[in-house]
Amino acid sequence: MDYTILSLGILIAPDRTAEQSMTPPEPRLCRDLSEASSRFSFQTYVFSSEDYDHHTGMLLGWRWQNGAWVRQSMPLPDIVYDRTFFHSKRDRLQCEEALSAIHARKAHQRINGSLPSKPIVYTRLAEDDTLARHIPPTTRYVTEELASFLASHGGKALIKPAAGMQGRGVILIRQSLWDDTVAVKGRTRDNRSFERIFPNLVELKKRLARFMGNSPFLLQPYLNLRDDKERPYDIRALLQKNGEGKWRLTGTAARIGRSGSLTSNLHGGGEVSDSCTLLSANFGKPMAERLLRKIHTISGHTAIRLEHGFGRFGELAMDFGIEPDGSIWLLEVNSKPGREAFRQTAPLTAYTASIERPIHYARYLKDRLSPTFTASESPYDLCQPHR
């Protein structure tokens, strides 16, 4: 079937240090999307809000050509794939202004919506009776409430940024049963690991105040999410919509942290494993398969709940922790998921699908605007992941 050539713009945050050469923030993803989209009648390019001229309506972008990124004048996008990770509110506002101005000249669709802050997401999911049992008790960190939280959760608590990612700023607090000391371990805001013992809770609170600054943090119970080798791990599930606008589970992968580490994030030195293989080693294969089916079901229900609350999405990644007794906890939902865990897991069918599905969904979003488009959308019909 012949398709009209569409323009797919991969939106990134402004890089104020960039000059005449360019490497996108996610170089492999941008490259693989560019190469794959050309097979499906898309011209794909990377751009930021600073590449749009509000006066002339011209847009510059970076295209992947002959093994290099080339700066060119580009048509305004039909579809925008938002991969922005902002460092300031100013950049965020500038981006929204540019997209609004572009849309006024040429209407476009976005592959994905955006999620609000973690506390709002947790609250919305916990309101669902099916999901509530899988959402860790979560509250905003308040200095005055730390002591009572520790007392009601066995002297242990986990603190993490309300807007954090990649395991940065996550802290485990363990209060001694024998004296006033408090042991702390975690990762700094620039993702370096640390451990320290404070003489008492008062001194810890002072240090936490300096560590957090004005940024909001969350407080959760510490969950035993470790494998039989005492390594932290989680299961990432990637849901994406296909060319019919229906949710599909693209795949799952296990992310394993180093022994003694607090997080399993790959940026903190973790590794990747096949999720069924890892869970089978810890629970046996029959139980592992039941756990993965349950994760599949929870993922689909979560996608439904989030779309009802926050609008349309094209892809969502969900990170699950599993305790030794088989309890499943939904730890995180990400509307701008990476693919590295799937790229490192053989076979590469899930990774290939993770690249191609946004392209197919982009075509669907464009086609559904046509008066001749009559296919009914059934977005919550999940199927088994790619094998």
Side-chain angles (χ1 to χ4, degrees):
M1 179 183 296
D2 293 330
Y3 288 112
T4 302
I5 295 178
L6 299 179
S7 297
L8 173 62
I10 303 173
L11 178 65
I12 62 173
D15 181 2
R16 307 191 186 284
T17 65
E19 297 179 358
Q20 296 304 313
S21 62
M22 184 268 193
T23 300
E26 300 174 291
R28 186 183 297 274
L29 174 61
C30 292
R31 184 198 69 192
D32 290 351
L33 276 170
S34 297
E35 292 179 346
S37 63
S38 65
R39 301 194 298 270
F40 300 103
S41 300
F42 276 88
Q43 55 176 340
T44 298
Y45 55 87
V46 179
F47 77 104
S48 78
S49 57
E50 293 193 333
D51 294 321
Y52 177 68
D53 189 317
H54 288 257
H55 298 292
T56 65
M58 299 295 292
L59 178 66
L60 292 174
W62 295 89
R63 290 191 66 184
W64 180 254
Q65 290 184 330
N66 301 319
W69 292 101
V70 180
R71 184 77 159 166
Q72 293 179 349
S73 177
M74 304 302 306
L76 298 183
D78 296 295
I79 305 291
V80 171
Y81 185 36
D82 186 352
R83 300 299 299 183
T84 53
F85 299 95
F86 295 109
H87 296 291
S88 69
K89 291 183 179 179
R90 173 175 169 264
D91 285 344
R92 185 185 300 276
L93 291 174
Q94 178 180 313
C95 179
E96 287 301 323
E97 290 172 358
L99 286 179
S100 296
I102 290 172
H103 190 78
R105 289 181 181 267
K106 179 184 177 183
H108 62 261
Q109 293 282 310
R110 299 194 200 187
I111 287 180
N112 231 24
S114 60
L115 288 171
S117 65
K118 290 179 185 178
I120 296 175
V121 171
Y122 282 131
T123 299
R124 180 58 60 93
L125 296 179
E127 291 171 348
D128 187 289
D129 291 340
T130 301
L131 297 175
R133 67 178 71 99
H134 302 292
I135 307 301
T138 304
T139 183
R140 285 184 180 271
Y141 173 81
V142 178
T143 301
E144 293 76 16
E145 297 177 5
L146 178 57
S148 60
F149 191 93
L150 287 167
S152 37
H153 291 91
K156 297 180 182 179
L158 196 70
I159 297 177
K160 61 184 182 181
M165 57 185 298
Q166 300 175 353
R168 301 171 190 266
V170 177
I171 300 172
L172 168 62
I173 298 173
R174 289 175 295 184
Q175 198 168 31
S176 173
L177 298 176
W178 317 110
D179 53 31
D180 293 335
T181 60
V182 186
V184 174
K185 70 181 298 183
R187 306 196 75 86
T188 63
R189 305 290 285 275
D190 57 1
N191 218 12
R192 290 181 291 110
S193 60
F194 70 91
E195 291 189 44
R196 186 172 173 183
I197 296 178
F198 290 84
N200 52 57
L201 205 54
V202 174
E203 292 302 316
L204 171 61
K205 289 178 181 180
K206 292 178 182 177
R207 184 64 185 90
L208 286 176
R210 295 195 296 271
F211 180 82
M212 297 176 179
N214 295 321
S215 301
F217 275 68
L218 304 180
L219 194 58
Q220 294 179 330
Y222 174 68
L223 303 171
N224 182 18
L225 308 177
R226 295 179 176 270
D227 66 7
D228 57 353
K229 298 178 182 177
E230 285 300 307
R231 299 175 301 179
Y233 76 97
D234 62 24
I235 305 296
R236 166 155 288 196
L238 177 61
L239 272 71
Q240 296 174 300
K241 286 183 178 173
N242 63 9
E244 298 176 346
K246 297 178 180 179
W247 282 113
R248 291 291 183 260
L249 179 63
T250 300
T252 61
R255 304 185 301 176
I256 311 165
R258 296 174 178 174
S259 180
S261 174
L262 182 59
T263 65
S264 57
N265 198 280
L266 300 185
H267 290 82
E271 61 184 71
V272 178
S273 172
D274 175 77
S275 53
C276 190
T277 300
L278 177 70
L279 293 178
S280 295
N282 288 271
F283 298 96
K285 189 170 182 179
M287 181 63 172
E289 291 176 345
R290 287 196 293 271
L291 289 170
L292 287 173
R293 285 196 296 271
K294 185 65 174 177
I295 285 173
H296 183 192
T297 301
I298 298 170
S299 299
H301 201 92
T302 300
I304 295 171
R305 183 72 181 181
L306 292 177
E307 284 204 311
H308 284 172
F310 308 119
R312 179 180 56 78
F313 292 90
E315 59 182 8
L316 292 165
M318 300 167 201
D319 298 333
F320 292 90
I322 304 176
E323 292 192 275
D325 65 357
S327 299
I328 298 175
W329 298 98
L330 176 55
L331 306 176
E332 194 94 25
V333 183
N334 192 334
S335 61
K336 296 176 184 177
R339 271 80 163 163
E340 188 61 21
F342 300 98
R343 190 186 68 81
Q344 294 185 27
T345 307
L348 291 177
T349 50
Y351 179 72
T352 300
S354 77
I355 296 295
E356 293 183 353
R357 279 183 171 163
I359 300 168
H360 296 318
Y361 185 55
R363 175 68 64 176
Y364 165 81
L365 288 176
K366 185 63 178 177
D367 289 348
R368 74 194 293 244
L369 298 179
S370 169
T372 60
F373 182 77
T374 57
S376 61
E377 183 176 11
S378 179
Y380 311 130
D381 177 24
L382 291 172
C383 72
Q384 291 301 313
H386 267 256
R387 295 295 184 189

